[in-house]
Amino acid sequence: DQQVKQNSPSLSVQEGRISILNCDYTNSMFDYFLWYKKYPAEGPTFLISISSIKDKNEDGRFTVFLNKSAKHLSLHIVPSQPGDSAVYFCAASEGGGTSYGKLTFGQGTILTVHP
Amino acid sequence: NAGVTQTPKFQVLKTGQSMTLQCAQDMNHNSMYWYRQDPGMGLRLIYYSASEGTTDKGEVPNGYNVSRLNKREFSLRLESAAPSQTSVYFCASQRETQYFGPGTRLLVL
């Protein structure tokens, strides 16, 4: 039973346009959500996170939106750059409102940004 | 400051062989984790250690054992490797977010 789902295996975007990556979850106990980025032959690296008490968090070109009622979050990248091409993983935690705790990951979405 | 390091980078085993995957972190983090990544499955938690001296099972612990040797090191052991354990294994340590090592690619024939 996949508690965190990324239903789009891949996404292709033109450089300069917006990339929107989506993630759905089923466990209502999740209260902290993260996005990780992964390049081939490397480990995932932390990108951005959001607590369930917020509905938006922004860091430069990256914004994460959380819709608790829909159990849905999305990552927006504006503007997209070729260096953003990577696999993006959504993850969730029952951290008790903090970032601590075990992570449950989605399957990942391969983002390709074309020059 | 190397972050999280893993050895070996790549390993080929025959069914039934044993091996230990090593992980070390130099960030003085209390919590450490072992994940496996399979195509279409994302990362799944095998075992974790909330602090030195404690270990707990994750989502997919069967066929694995772990040792938290000290605060820096957290090893993963396969006692009798099976083809189903062919995967990429990632170690992570955590302060506020989890920091991952580069991974170990394991092929079990």
Side-chain angles (χ1 to χ4, degrees):
Chain A
D1 178 32
Q2 194 93 24
Q3 297 185 66
V4 178
K5 294 183 181 179
Q6 294 174 254
N7 292 316
S8 297
S10 63
L11 175 67
S12 183
V13 172
Q14 205 69 28
E15 181 179 6
R17 306 293 291 268
I18 184 171
S19 295
I20 300 176
L21 296 98
N22 294 303
C23 178
D24 297 295
Y25 63 97
T26 57
N27 187 344
S28 57
M29 298 300 291
F30 288 145
D31 57 7
Y32 201 80
F33 303 89
L34 307 90
W35 285 94
Y36 278 82
K37 176 179 180 179
K38 184 183 180 304
Y39 292 117
E42 295 183 8
T45 55
F46 170 74
L47 194 56
I48 192 169
S49 64
I50 188 167
S51 166
S52 59
I53 62 173
K54 296 185 176 181
D55 55 18
K56 177 183 175 181
N57 188 27
E58 198 170 350
D59 184 1
R61 296 186 297 114
F62 302 92
T63 303
V64 56
F65 296 91
L66 176 63
N67 183 333
K68 283 178 60 180
S69 61
K71 293 190 176 68
H72 177 83
L73 65 154
S74 60
L75 174 68
H76 293 210
I77 306 174
V78 184
S80 301
Q81 299 173 353
D84 296 329
S85 297
V87 180
Y88 288 78
F89 289 100
C90 169
S93 171
E94 297 179 40
T98 71
S99 62
Y100 298 89
K102 300 175 290 181
L103 295 179
T104 300
F105 283 84
Q107 307 97 305
T109 297
I110 301 170
L111 173 65
T112 304
V113 180
H114 299 282
Chain B
N1 190 338
V4 180
T5 57
Q6 293 183 236
T7 55
K9 284 187 169 56
F10 180 71
Q11 184 72 46
V12 179
L13 290 179
K14 294 181 180 178
T15 297
Q17 287 185 318
S18 63
M19 79 162 294
T20 299
L21 284 67
Q22 306 286 354
C23 173
Q25 52 95 5
D26 61 2
M27 296 175 282
N28 202 36
H29 292 165
N30 286 322
S31 301
M32 297 185 73
Y33 303 80
W34 275 106
Y35 294 88
R36 59 179 287 174
Q37 184 194 5
D38 301 295
M41 299 289 291
L43 282 79
R44 291 182 293 168
L45 183 64
I46 306 171
Y47 270 93
Y48 68 102
S49 171
S51 61
E52 185 179 353
T54 68
T55 61
D56 283 290
K57 295 178 181 180
E59 181 186 353
V60 288
N62 291 345
Y64 305 95
N65 285 301
V66 290
S67 295
R68 183 72 182 269
L69 304 169
N70 48 56
K71 193 171 187 179
R72 287 188 66 248
E73 298 170 291
F74 188 37
S75 63
L76 179 71
R77 182 160 179 86
L78 288 71
E79 291 290 351
S80 179
S84 61
Q85 294 178 304
T86 292
S87 188
V88 182
Y89 291 85
F90 290 101
C91 176
S93 70
Q94 180 172 22
R95 187 180 177 92
E96 293 184 350
T97 60
Q98 290 189 18
Y99 297 83
F100 286 82
T104 294
R105 294 181 176 274
L106 177 65
L107 175 62
V108 183
L109 300 175

